[in-house]
Amino acid sequence: MFNLKTEIYLRIIFLFSLIALISAYFIEHVLGHQPCNLCLIERIPYGLSIILISLMFIIKKNENFFILLLILTFIFSFFISLYHFGIEQGIFQESSVCGVKNFSENVSKEELLNQLSEKTISCKDVTFRILGLSLTTINIVISILFIITLTKIFTKYEKN
């Protein structure tokens, strides 16, 4: 399996992903800061990393494959966060993802009217900051750190 250092890094990523998701739901449901659609999409890599790391520790095989999937997951996280940051800074225009509530094609007239009457959270509005940084900015930094860490782990296993 893994050496102790690798296992510690994976446990840190697992724990941080868990804390990130709990914090996001706390900020949304307890503090009342509604997320935009891109904020919701940015949660996916954290949930996926929890699943992948759990599977890695349960299966105890194909560690390189799981680590590669984790790297790809956080590359996705980095690019989604970078795009979101660009929208926040006015570099990019908001896409249709920012305004759509339900991606299903089977939306009734009542559901569509309800969606239109609800206030849609814009992807360019930052509703919550930590130390003056938007959660998107923090997510960019975390994604880069995880990509670097996981890439070092992956290259170490490729050499063995």
Side-chain angles (χ1 to χ4, degrees):
M1 173 99 182
F2 301 115
N3 64 32
L4 185 59
K5 190 174 182 181
T6 300
E7 190 171 328
I8 290 171
Y9 283 138
L10 290 171
R11 288 180 188 269
I12 289 170
I13 292 171
F14 178 90
L15 186 62
F16 192 87
S17 296
L18 190 62
I19 290 169
L21 284 178
I22 291 169
S23 299
Y25 286 109
F26 179 81
I27 291 166
E28 178 182 354
H29 295 290
V30 176
L31 300 180
H33 294 274
Q34 292 302 308
C36 69
N37 287 342
L38 280 176
C39 291
L40 295 173
I41 292 170
E42 287 177 56
R43 295 177 186 177
I44 294 171
Y46 293 110
L48 192 55
S49 70
I50 290 169
I51 293 168
L52 289 172
I53 293 170
S54 296
L55 284 172
M56 196 180 320
F57 284 125
I58 292 169
I59 295 174
K60 298 180 182 178
K61 289 183 182 178
N62 301 322
E63 291 90 3
N64 281 345
F65 175 73
F66 284 109
I67 292 171
L68 186 58
L69 285 178
L70 283 167
I71 292 169
L72 294 174
T73 299
F74 285 106
I75 288 173
F76 169 79
S77 176
F78 172 75
F79 282 112
I80 288 294
S81 299
L82 194 63
Y83 175 65
H84 193 181
F85 179 77
I87 291 172
E88 288 178 357
Q89 299 303 312
I91 298 168
F92 305 123
Q93 292 287 345
E94 284 185 283
S95 68
S96 59
V97 171
C98 294
V100 178
K101 285 256 183 191
N102 189 343
F103 296 108
S104 162
E105 292 180 21
N106 302 325
V107 178
S108 70
K109 287 186 272 185
E110 293 79 22
E111 290 172 337
L112 184 59
L113 286 173
N114 284 339
Q115 286 182 16
L116 291 172
S117 67
E118 290 178 15
K119 184 178 183 250
T120 305
I121 306 300
S122 171
C123 291
K124 62 184 169 188
D125 295 336
V126 179
T127 62
F128 191 82
R129 293 182 185 272
I130 297 175
L131 301 172
L133 299 172
S134 71
L135 295 178
T136 300
T137 307
I138 294 169
N139 200 35
I140 290 171
V141 173
I142 292 166
S143 295
I144 290 170
L145 291 174
F146 285 177
I147 291 167
I148 292 168
T149 303
L150 290 164
T151 302
K152 285 183 179 184
I153 293 170
F154 183 77
T155 55
K156 186 173 70 172
Y157 275 100
E158 282 295 302
K159 291 177 184 175
N160 292 339

